[in-house]
Every structure is written in structure tokens, then in C-alpha cells.
Amino acid sequence: KDFIAEISENATLKEVSGIVTTGLVDRLTAAETAELAGIGKTYINAIYYEMGYSASDKVRLCDIIDYVYLHMDDSGSICSWIDAAAREKFNEIYALKEKAFHSFNGEKYTMLAFSISADKEDKESEEFIVALKETLNKYYDENYIAGEPMVYYDISQTFMSDVLKINLITLISILIIIAVTFKSVSLPFILVLVIQGAIWISMSITTLSGGAIFFMSYLIVSAIQMGATIDYGILLTTNYMERRKTLGKREAVIESVKASIATVFTSGIIMIIAGFTVGLISTSVAISSIGTLVGRGAIVSTLLVLLLLPALLYIFDSFIKKTTFTKDLIQERKKKKDEKQS
């Protein structure tokens, strides 16, 4: 009861349910039991004496209910004196008591159910979980908290470390794959910068507009956007590198955009429509936010690939050529070196 009184001071808590709150484990004197049950004090005093207590002793209400129920048919007990109407009432009370104990009590543990005014993803919910844990630890050596708010709280506690690990593994893997594919040191960083920038821009739009991003949505959408839209950049870069063999960098940029724009737009529009459709139709907040972020992310990625990436390829053209080790570029560098020596 002390625990419930303390945690009830929390403004987020609406209601607590458990055996303690039902009053079944309250310890009552004979007078208090008589008043609560609406039965004569003399009769209740006699039941207390028969149970081995004095009228002033405090006995758990559930123990009194059990005793009366079990001795109603015992002719040697005062409990058998109750009339038919009282018997029916006690049967109902006993059934309710059994149901309550079955719902809240186990062999080793008892359960308390908390109803809070905050949504499971809200900051108030997290603050309540922290307060609940502190209060529980104050009164109980062993305790466990379950439920959706607790699940979201546990996940949020590992979010930053998970994001760092996932981002590092994802970026390193993509950098290695692109480096091997293009045989280049610089191109992987340029491509990842463009798509990672698109992810940050997309996510920041929600924050700047006063919204909130569900942390699981951030992880899922980041992986989807990086994995799906970096293909746009790879396509344009491949076209640029091919055309750069025979054209100047300006012409190569123009021709690579012309060759890639239809494919990038088609794929991007499909992803945009699919994402926003999920965002608009889904009734689940988490799923809806994922769909919206995917759709918005596809828009930003498509624009950056078609507008920013060509500019970066143009600006860093010389650096890209020096840090790319394809057969033709190696031969070109060797030829220039030989020409200088001669």
C-alpha cells in the first residue's frame, strides 16, 4: 500500500489494479468487517472467535471470506447459521475473490496493472517507467515490468548505440562493395555522402516541422533508403565513368544524366508512390511513419542523385581519375608519365 500511495502521486498514472487495490488483502478488525459487509457485529465477532482471533485482531478479508465459504455447510460452525440469501451472496463474493486472485496472483509473483495517460512512445511514458522502476526497487528486491511502454523504453535505451553500429556496418559494407566495383577510392565516399545526406535531410524535415520520428522507423527507413536509392547513384556514376573515357567532363556529365534520368525517375516514382501509399492507408502509427519516411526519402534521394551527384562528379573529376584504378585509367596515367619523361 505504501508503494501504491507513492507511485499514485505521479501525474501520468491514471489507475492501478491489483489484489492490493481490491481490498481483499486488507487487514480488518471485527467491527470494520461488520461495517464493510453490512452484517451484525455480534455475528462477525463470533466468526473471529471461531477462527481463533479476538475482535480487535486485524484479519485479512480474503481469509475471512475463505473461512465462511468453507464452513457454511458445517453444522458445528457458526457460519452455517446464515440464511439462503446470505449464502448466495457469499458464493458470489467467493467467486469474485477467486477470480481476482487468479488474475493477479501466481505461484511466486503477484501482478499490478498500471493505466497511464501517455502514449507508449511519448516522453511522459518513458519518464513514468523510470519513476516506476525507482519506486519498485525501493520497496521490492525482485520486480519485473512488462507491457508495450516498457518494450519501447528498453528499445530506446539501446537506440543510440544500435544506430551507431548499424550505420558503421552499413557504410563500411557499401564503401567496400562500391570500391571493389568501381576500383576507386573516392567514388564510394561521394556516393555514400549523397545518399546519407538525403537520409539526414529527409529525417530533419520531420524534426524541423515539429514532428517526432519513432526510433524503429529511423533504423528501418535508413537501411531501406541507403540500400535502395544508392543504386540510382551507382547507375549515374557508371554512365559517367563510361562516357568520360571519350568525352570531356562537362559533356560526360550531361550525357550520363540524359542516359540515367528515365531509369532513376521511374524507379524513384515507384518507391515514392509505394511509400506514401503505405503512409496514407496504414492505421498503425509506426507503419504509417515508415511509409511516409520512405516516400519522402525517395524524393530527396532522387533529387540529390540527379542534381548534386553530377555536380560532385564534375568538381572532383581530376581527383576521381587519380584515385580510380581501372585498366584504362592506369594506362592513361602511364602514357602521360611516359610522355613527360620523353
Side-chain angles (χ1 to χ4, degrees):
K1 287 225 169 185
D2 292 337
F3 161 72
I4 291 177
E6 183 170 338
I7 195 63
S8 295
E9 294 176 2
N10 192 296
T12 307
L13 181 65
K14 289 170 61 180
E15 185 181 4
V16 184
S17 301
I19 285 297
V20 176
T21 62
T22 62
L24 289 169
V25 291
D26 288 355
R27 294 184 177 274
L28 308 174
T29 63
E32 290 169 337
T33 303
E35 183 179 355
L36 179 66
I39 299 174
K41 185 177 177 181
T42 303
Y43 182 69
I44 296 297
N45 284 346
I47 293 176
Y48 267 55
Y49 292 140
E50 188 174 301
M51 291 177 67
Y53 299 106
S54 68
S56 60
D57 286 338
K58 289 183 173 290
V59 184
R60 293 198 313 170
L61 181 60
C62 59
D63 294 335
I64 300 169
I65 294 171
D66 284 342
Y67 186 84
V68 173
Y69 179 80
L70 294 172
H71 292 81
M72 282 193 301
D73 296 323
D74 183 359
S75 59
S77 171
I78 193 171
C79 299
S80 62
W81 295 5
I82 60 176
D83 58 27
R87 281 172 178 269
E88 185 177 347
K89 185 177 181 180
F90 258 105
N91 284 331
E92 292 176 1
I93 293 173
Y94 181 80
L96 290 173
K97 191 244 3 168
E98 287 294 292
K99 184 178 180 181
F101 269 83
H102 179 74
S103 299
F104 294 109
N105 274 17
E107 293 182 5
K108 293 176 62 178
Y109 303 99
T110 186
M111 182 183 77
L112 285 172
F114 299 90
S115 175
I116 59 176
S117 57
D119 189 77
K120 56 182 176 290
E121 302 170 29
D122 290 346
K123 184 175 178 61
E124 290 81 2
S125 177
E126 182 177 332
E127 291 173 349
F128 175 76
I129 292 293
V130 172
L132 180 61
K133 286 167 70 72
E134 290 176 354
T135 311
L136 279 170
N137 291 332
K138 180 179 174 181
Y139 288 93
Y140 305 101
D141 294 329
E142 184 179 6
N143 59 78
Y144 304 94
I145 305 175
E148 279 191 290
M150 188 62 202
V151 172
Y152 282 85
Y153 172 79
D154 282 339
I155 295 173
S156 68
Q157 296 308 294
T158 60
F159 175 64
M160 292 309 298
S161 61
D162 287 350
V163 167
L164 180 61
K165 291 175 186 176
I166 291 169
N167 283 344
L168 284 175
I169 293 171
T170 302
L171 293 176
I172 291 171
S173 301
I174 291 174
L175 287 171
I176 292 171
I177 292 169
I178 297 174
V180 171
T181 303
F182 285 99
K183 297 180 176 62
S184 174
V185 176
S186 55
L187 283 175
F189 289 96
I190 292 173
L191 286 169
V192 169
L193 174 65
V194 170
I195 303 304
Q196 189 62 52
I199 293 171
W200 288 333
I201 291 171
S202 176
M203 298 298 177
S204 66
I205 291 172
T206 300
T207 304
L208 293 173
S209 62
I213 299 175
F214 178 41
F215 44 86
M216 287 182 67
S217 300
Y218 180 88
L219 294 176
I220 294 169
V221 173
S222 294
I224 292 173
Q225 190 172 342
M226 177 61 76
T229 62
I230 200 166
D231 288 346
Y232 308 165
I234 291 173
L235 173 65
L236 192 144
T237 303
T238 301
N239 287 328
Y240 174 79
M241 295 301 290
E242 284 294 322
R243 284 154 179 76
R244 189 67 181 88
K245 294 176 184 178
T246 57
L247 300 172
K249 60 180 183 180
R250 185 174 183 278
E251 291 75 18
V253 166
I254 294 171
E255 291 301 319
S256 62
V257 171
K258 286 181 180 179
S260 308
I261 191 168
T263 304
V264 173
F265 258 129
T266 302
S267 181
I269 290 171
I270 290 172
M271 192 169 175
I272 291 165
I273 292 172
F276 281 120
T277 299
V278 172
L280 292 171
I281 293 177
S282 178
T283 55
S284 168
V285 176
I287 296 174
S288 177
S289 68
I290 290 173
T292 301
L293 288 172
V294 166
R296 184 196 300 153
I299 293 174
V300 179
S301 291
T302 301
L303 292 175
L304 290 190
V305 166
L306 292 175
L307 300 175
L308 177 62
L309 182 57
L312 292 176
L313 292 174
Y314 181 88
I315 293 168
F316 295 105
D317 179 79
S318 298
F319 181 67
I320 292 170
K321 291 181 73 175
K322 290 177 182 178
T323 55
T324 300
F325 303 95
T326 56
K327 186 177 179 180
D328 57 310
L329 287 175
I330 292 173
Q331 290 176 347
E332 182 182 328
R333 285 195 291 268
K334 186 178 179 182
K335 184 179 178 181
K336 287 182 179 180
K337 185 177 181 183
D338 292 340
E339 288 175 354
K340 284 182 180 179
Q341 289 176 350
S342 61

